[in-house]
Amino acid sequence: MSEMNGHFERGRWVLDPPPTPEPEREPEPAAAPGVEARMQEASQSVRKAVNDVVSAGNHLLRTQEGHDHIEQAARKAGEDLERAINAWAESARLALQRR
């Protein structure tokens, strides 16, 4: 007998069928991140946001461009406040005239 794959069945040599390749499995989807992973992601996000705010503050305080921006914002706030006070004063004046 040759060295073929097979086995004896009822006293006779029976060839085994050739092996069939296993179908390729699709990779399993990644599991949803666990609580620890999500907490770590959130912590990193907060840390980045704080660093961005600090960086922007440093830019405002340490550069001429930042100083100009602060000055513009202060002037606009002053103008807005002046308009609000004038509108309130006018409203009060009209209310007193109606009496």
Side-chain angles (χ1 to χ4, degrees):
M1 255 187 266
S2 66
E3 294 185 24
M4 293 184 166
N5 291 334
H7 63 278
F8 280 103
E9 193 173 293
R10 296 185 192 171
R12 297 183 62 177
W13 184 254
V14 178
L15 293 175
D16 291 333
T20 56
E22 289 187 32
E24 289 186 30
R25 291 184 177 177
E26 290 186 26
E28 293 184 25
V35 172
E36 288 298 319
R38 297 205 53 179
M39 293 299 291
Q40 186 176 11
E41 287 174 11
S43 177
Q44 288 172 346
S45 177
V46 168
R47 201 172 312 123
K48 182 183 180 326
V50 169
N51 288 338
D52 289 348
V53 169
V54 169
S55 176
N58 284 334
H59 183 75
L60 285 173
L61 297 175
R62 294 183 180 173
T63 65
Q64 185 59 44
E65 179 188 15
H67 289 205
D68 293 345
H69 181 77
I70 291 170
E71 185 178 350
Q72 271 185 331
R75 286 183 194 272
K76 183 177 181 323
E79 291 168 359
D80 291 347
L81 180 59
E82 187 177 349
R83 272 194 293 277
I85 290 171
N86 288 339
W88 175 80
E90 180 63 20
S91 175
R93 186 183 66 76
L94 291 173
L96 287 174
Q97 283 181 352
R98 286 188 214 139
R99 287 185 167 192

